[in-house]
Amino acid sequence: MEVFRYSQAKSVEGAVRSNGTFIAGGTTLVDLMKLNVLRPTTVVDINLLPLDKIEPEPNGGLRIGALVRNSDLAWNATVKEKYTVLSEALLSGASPQLRNMATTGGNLLQKTRCYYYRDTNYACNKRDPGSGCSALDGFNRIHAVLGGSKACVAVHPSDMAVAMMALEATVHTNGPKGERAIALNDFYLVPGDTPQHENVLAPGEMITHVTLPALPSGTRSHYLKLRDRAQYEFALASAAVVVKVSGGRIERARIALGGVGTKPWRSHEAERALEGQSANEDTFRKAADAAMAEAKPLKFNGFKIELAKRGLVRALKTTTESA
Ligand SMILES: Cc1cc2nc3c(=O)[nH]c(=O)nc-3n(C[C@H](O)[C@H](O)[C@H](O)COP(=O)(O)OP(=O)(O)OC[C@H]3O[C@@H](n4cnc5c(N)ncnc54)[C@H](O)[C@@H]3O)c2cc1C
């Protein structure tokens, strides 16, 4: 295995041309290399590239460099005040030490925590296409109830990505074919027959930054994460809620769910059930039912459906209280 550093890559374009696997904080990649799950031939260290700034956008939005550490993003004053859901999602993830290493780009591209993906003794179509899926008939308590297929039911584990989904973030990249901007909503793929393809990035394409649009004034947001223990645990279900309420009515709603989908799950169904309605528990429950209407339980994870609904209702209550 070869390791390139910035001094060799010199620029984003140089790193992209090297056509290797990028390493940022290394908190996903190194673990999986030790487990023999990922075996890159060339690793390109991008840590010295100038992609570590959080800057205001001229239109009032925010630009977040791919190498901004999760801690720096979570504690940024603008993020805490205007994009509370993002700060809360980041602080609910991992541990302080990990958040000091983990980056924005790496977090979006972190790999599933499916036990069978991480253990090479088991069949896994995501790790080894065509080998089968041990989770389908295995212990599938943590697995997806939305977006799964006969080839894969692994959950996308990121909290940050769920918040960014509800904030309608855009991912900016630089790759062999130049630069492009991809709505986060179009960035992730459901597994279908090809679970090894998790997103629309081309080989060698690098995330350079993420942008968040300005939110309408009066918008409130919140992230609620439900898990087996209070800290240092991945979500069984989570809800990212971005809403504006005027005169007791929900004017605008953006909803995303974590822990239940094969990708960070934007729920347009819940948004439709909320917008224009009174901000009360009855409306919230209808939105939660709509969000989970297509959910398909496996043998051990049926509890996630009600858990996700209750989580969304509680997140909406918290966000709209006294609005
Ligand atoms: C014990 C533990 C607990 C955790 N708990 C949580 C949790 O509760 N919630 C949560 O959301 N996360 C959790 N995480 C995951 C953690 O957030 C991720 O490991 C981290 O965000 C990945 O970022 P990184 O910079 O270290 O990525 P790396 O490991 O450096 O990279 C991850 C992947 O992204 C690619 N990559 C990195 N940067 C770029 C780029 N700019 N462009 C293109 N490709 C790139 C790499 O090639 C690699 O495939 C946990 C991790 C651990 C180890």
Side-chain angles (χ1 to χ4, degrees):
M1 185 192 76
E2 289 180 273
V3 177
F4 279 90
R5 286 196 180 279
Y6 169 72
S7 53
Q8 288 156 295
K10 290 215 170 18
S11 61
V12 169
E13 283 74 17
V16 166
R17 270 199 305 276
S18 69
N19 204 24
T21 297
F22 304 122
I23 186 163
T27 62
T28 287
L29 185 61
V30 174
D31 272 10
L32 292 174
M33 286 170 67
K34 286 184 192 161
L35 292 170
N36 222 14
V37 170
L38 295 178
R39 283 162 296 186
T41 48
T42 307
V43 173
V44 182
D45 181 350
I46 60 172
N47 279 286
L48 292 180
L49 291 174
L51 302 173
D52 60 349
K53 304 270 185 309
I54 305 171
E55 294 161 310
E57 288 268 273
N59 61 6
L62 202 65
R63 177 188 170 113
I64 304 161
L67 288 170
V68 171
R69 305 287 153 176
N70 287 181
S71 314
D72 293 333
L73 188 56
W75 294 110
N76 175 273
T78 307
V79 173
K80 277 175 67 185
E81 190 197 325
K82 294 192 176 159
Y83 303 101
T84 311
V85 64
L86 178 57
S87 176
E88 290 176 348
L90 285 159
L91 293 176
S92 77
S95 64
Q97 292 86 347
L98 281 158
R99 295 194 294 266
N100 286 341
M101 289 301 292
T103 63
T104 305
N107 193 317
L108 289 173
L109 297 174
Q110 63 176 285
K111 300 291 183 182
T112 181
R113 310 305 287 196
C114 172
Y115 334 108
Y116 304 107
Y117 171 78
R118 293 172 67 87
D119 186 337
T120 55
N121 292 306
Y122 290 94
C124 171
N125 289 318
K126 191 185 277 298
R127 173 175 27 81
D128 187 8
S131 63
C133 173
S134 298
L136 280 176
D137 296 318
F139 184 52
N140 44 39
R141 179 174 180 272
I142 64 168
H143 291 75
V145 291
L146 289 166
S149 70
K150 291 208 167 92
C152 183
V153 286
V155 159
H156 194 281
S158 171
D159 294 297
M160 185 196 79
V162 178
M164 285 190 173
M165 197 64 88
L167 290 168
E168 300 185 303
T170 300
V171 178
H172 299 261
T173 69
N174 195 326
K177 291 191 178 161
E179 296 178 7
R180 57 179 180 147
I182 308 155
L184 188 59
N185 204 29
D186 302 327
F187 182 76
Y188 293 107
L189 302 171
V190 287
D193 295 333
T194 52
Q196 70 275 24
H197 299 307
E198 301 184 328
N199 54 60
V200 299
L201 285 183
E205 191 168 6
M206 182 193 293
I207 297 177
T208 53
H209 60 286
V210 173
T211 49
L212 303 179
L215 296 175
S217 90
T219 299
R220 293 178 175 200
S221 68
H222 177 48
Y223 187 75
L224 178 68
K225 178 172 177 178
L226 304 171
R227 46 191 156 170
D228 279 328
R229 58 182 175 198
Q231 289 293 327
Y232 202 40
E233 188 55 270
F234 288 88
L236 289 169
S238 71
V241 167
V242 180
V243 286
K244 181 173 180 185
V245 176
S246 294
R249 225 158 254 289
I250 302 161
E251 206 175 288
R252 182 178 184 273
R254 297 290 181 271
I255 305 294
L257 303 174
V260 287
T262 50
K263 61 178 190 170
W265 203 261
R266 171 94 181 257
S267 180
H268 295 287
E269 297 80 5
E271 293 166 10
R272 279 195 292 273
L274 291 166
E275 285 182 345
Q277 304 300 316
S278 297
N280 60 38
E281 185 149 358
D282 187 42
T283 303
F284 301 158
R285 183 71 205 186
K286 282 185 183 138
D289 287 342
M292 300 308 289
E294 299 294 319
K296 291 188 179 54
L298 301 163
K299 185 170 178 192
F300 294 102
N301 68 357
F303 73 96
K304 279 193 175 190
I305 298 175
E306 184 58 24
L307 188 71
K309 288 183 187 181
R310 291 187 193 188
L312 178 54
V313 170
R314 202 170 105 200
L316 283 162
K317 268 192 195 168
T318 307
T319 318
T320 57
E321 257 162 17
S322 70

